[in-house]
């Protein structure tokens, strides 16, 4: 039986924990209907989510060579940009992951903390410099991660306004009509990335994109189309999730000023707090859809070949079997077992960068 859960409605968005608890009452996996994607199984426990994410032999991101979560009717550009390492199984995932890992190793991410902190202080000051109310999501939680990822990639500061507009159009989507409205922006992003890559290939440059081009020139096994999809993934996955982390963390602090005071007393508490915000907020609520390759049973629930299943990371992080009193935000929580960055081969590429941006963002607002 398909359970009803409106994952785009205000009731869910205002209190996802309550909706997750109701779904968990039906079992470790339940059938739900998603916008665009359609009817799929979704996990409600951390153990079930781990099974789906770790067993790539049974749960594939591909079906007949195509991305499992991309409907047939979407324009080809969506399928082209979806052909990135996040949607590949082995051996292509390891091939592409190795290329970007090598580029990341050449960039000292942790050395970016002073620069990220400066971005955060400047943007925090600008929020209230005219003494009026400020939209923290648009003017801070979106701007800061975008500045950080552009800095990492080596994209011009002058182009960040374009990315802000593109990001708004590419992420505020909850229907087929929304997908169609975003098509012009997706084409513009693709053209921009192609032109920038060609410029770096011809003239060199700085940042992670320049490192990717150097790895490509050294003989890496990556096509030009895969390179475009890789940069697209880094650009949007690299800032959209951190936007959710920052805005969600700030929201929780605004609800309980005692949290702000506790963090202000000891700045070193921020590292522990960010881990708890990652668990409690869960910036990425769901995994990509996985295609079930063979009949399999998970915790008493029978899945058959051809089914689709998504790991609900938000429910995994609020699973009482994984974390005691999961509905309580405890910034000093130890131990803490979130899977906010996923797990296994698709573990997030830049967790330290996200942690740094989240930590610097909250600290700058408190200061």
């Amino acid at each position: 039986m398909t359970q009803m859960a409106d994952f785009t409605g205000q009731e869910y968005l205002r209190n996802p924990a309550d909706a997750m608890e109701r779904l968990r009452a039906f079992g470790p996996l339940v059938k739900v209907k998603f916008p665009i994607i359609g009817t799929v199984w979704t996990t409600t426990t951390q153990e079930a989510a781990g099974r789906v994410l770790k067993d790539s032999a049974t749960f594939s991101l591909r079906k007949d060579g195509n991305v499992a979560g991309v409907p047939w009717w979407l324009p080809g550009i969506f399928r082209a940009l979806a052909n990135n390492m996040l949607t590949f199984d082995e051996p292509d995932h390891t091939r592409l992951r190795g290329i970007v890992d090598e580029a990341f190793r050449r960039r000292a991410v942790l050395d970016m903390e002073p620069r990220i902190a400066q971005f955060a202080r400047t943007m925090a000051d600008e929020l209230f410099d005219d003494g009026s109310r400020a939209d923290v999501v648009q003017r801070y939680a979106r701007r800061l991660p975008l500045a950080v990822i552009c800095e990492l990639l080596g994209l011009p500061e002058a182009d960040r306004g374009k990315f802000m507009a593109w990001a708004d159009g590419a992420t505020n989507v909850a229907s087929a009509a929304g997908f169609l409205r975003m098509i012009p922006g997706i084409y513009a992003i693709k053209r921009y990335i192609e032109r920038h890559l060609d410029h770096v290939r011809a003239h060199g440059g700085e940042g992670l994109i320049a490192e990717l081009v150097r790895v490509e020139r050294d003989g890496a096994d990556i096509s030009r189309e895969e390179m475009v999809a890789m940069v697209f993934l880094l650009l949007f996955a690299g800032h959209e999730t951190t936007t959710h982390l920052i805005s969600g963390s700030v929201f929780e602090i605004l609800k309980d000023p005692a949290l702000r005071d506790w963090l202000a007393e000891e700045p070193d508490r921020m590292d522990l707090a960010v881990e708890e915000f990652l668990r409690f907020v869960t910036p990425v609520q769901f995994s990509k859809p996985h295609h079930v390759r063979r009949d399999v049973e998970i915790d008493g629930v029978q899945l058959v070949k051809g089914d689709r299943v998504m790991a609900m990371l938000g429910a995994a992080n609020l699973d009482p079997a994984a974390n005691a009193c999961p509905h309580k935000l405890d910034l000093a929580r130890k131990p803490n077992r979130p899977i906010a960055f996923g797990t296994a081969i698709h573990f997030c590429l830049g967790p330290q960068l996200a942690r740094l941006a989240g930590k610097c963002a909250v600290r700058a607002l408190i200061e």
Side-chain angles (χ1 to χ4, degrees):
M1 178 178 176
T2 301
Q3 304 301 324
M4 300 309 296
D6 184 3
F7 295 110
T8 63
Q10 284 299 311
E11 182 181 0
Y12 175 80
L13 295 174
R14 290 178 185 277
N15 189 6
D18 185 56
M20 292 171 189
E21 200 64 38
R22 290 199 303 270
L23 287 175
R24 190 179 295 117
F26 289 101
L29 286 100
V30 295
K31 252 185 185 177
V32 295
K33 189 171 183 179
F34 273 83
I36 307 298
I37 295 169
T39 301
V40 297
W41 290 93
T42 188
T43 64
T44 64
T45 67
Q46 192 167 112
E47 182 178 352
R51 283 279 306 276
V52 170
L53 295 173
K54 292 175 183 177
D55 186 1
S56 56
T58 303
F59 305 101
S60 171
L61 288 160
R62 298 268 159 167
K63 181 182 179 182
D64 301 326
N66 298 312
V67 181
V70 178
W72 64 268
W73 49 263
L74 284 180
I77 188 171
F78 288 94
R79 286 188 289 275
L81 293 176
N83 275 317
N84 57 61
M85 65 181 181
L86 200 61
T87 63
F88 273 116
D89 298 315
E90 300 294 20
D92 288 309
H93 175 269
T94 294
R95 171 177 62 85
L96 294 172
R97 178 79 183 225
I99 291 168
V100 75
D101 277 346
E102 173 63 22
F104 255 89
R105 278 193 291 272
R106 298 184 184 187
R107 299 288 298 170
V109 170
L110 294 180
D111 290 346
M112 292 181 66
E113 183 168 3
R115 182 69 169 152
I116 297 172
Q118 184 58 53
F119 280 144
R121 285 192 296 268
T122 299
M123 292 180 189
D125 288 342
E126 291 172 353
L127 268 178
F128 307 107
D129 59 5
D130 63 356
S132 63
R133 289 184 174 188
D135 186 333
V136 176
V137 177
Q138 288 298 110
R139 291 181 53 195
Y140 191 70
R142 276 206 183 283
R143 285 183 64 208
L144 176 58
L146 190 60
V148 171
I149 198 64
C150 285
E151 179 95 352
L152 177 70
L153 294 175
L155 296 173
E157 184 174 353
D159 291 340
R160 288 174 194 168
K162 296 179 186 176
F163 293 127
M164 185 74 74
W166 289 335
D168 284 342
T171 54
N172 295 323
V173 175
S175 66
F179 261 105
L180 295 176
R181 284 195 298 269
M182 69 186 274
I183 289 174
I186 294 295
Y187 274 105
I189 296 166
K190 182 174 182 288
R191 286 193 297 269
Y192 178 93
I193 292 173
E194 288 170 341
R195 286 196 299 267
H196 187 77
L197 282 167
D198 287 341
H199 178 82
V200 173
R201 289 182 181 111
H203 305 287
E206 299 296 327
L208 188 61
I209 289 177
E211 298 293 353
L212 283 170
V213 169
R214 292 185 187 105
V215 174
E216 176 189 48
R217 189 173 293 134
D218 289 343
D221 182 13
I222 184 170
S223 69
R224 294 177 78 87
E225 292 76 16
E226 287 173 335
M227 182 72 91
V228 172
M230 177 81 77
V231 175
F232 182 87
L233 171 66
L234 293 171
L235 179 60
F236 280 93
H239 90 268
E240 180 65 18
T241 53
T242 311
T243 291
H244 295 320
L245 171 61
I246 295 170
S247 58
S249 302
V250 172
F251 180 62
E252 295 302 327
I253 291 173
L254 287 172
K255 287 197 296 184
D256 185 358
L259 299 177
R260 175 199 61 201
D261 298 337
W262 185 81
L263 288 170
E265 287 174 6
E266 297 286 345
D268 288 345
R269 290 172 174 170
M270 195 63 71
D271 288 324
L272 205 59
V274 166
E275 292 304 303
E276 177 67 347
F277 284 133
L278 283 165
R279 183 194 71 83
F280 196 78
V281 173
T282 311
V284 179
Q285 291 279 304
F286 295 90
S287 75
K288 295 285 188 291
H290 290 66
H291 175 69
V292 180
R293 287 175 161 170
R294 60 180 178 84
D295 293 358
V296 64
E297 183 181 298
I298 297 182
D299 296 338
V301 179
Q302 184 67 44
L303 303 181
V304 300
K305 181 179 179 180
D307 281 346
R308 291 185 303 165
V309 59
M310 296 168 65
M312 194 191 311
L313 304 183
N317 286 337
L318 294 178
D319 181 0
N323 289 288
C325 303
H327 299 302
K328 174 180 171 56
L329 178 67
D330 179 3
L331 299 188
R333 182 181 292 272
K334 282 186 178 180
N336 197 349
R337 301 184 181 89
I339 58 169
F341 293 118
T343 188
I345 66 170
H346 290 287
F347 184 76
C348 175
L349 185 68
Q352 295 307 325
L353 189 65
R355 289 185 174 105
L356 276 178
K359 179 174 71 172
C360 291
V362 174
R363 179 177 290 159
L365 284 180
I366 289 174
E367 291 173 351

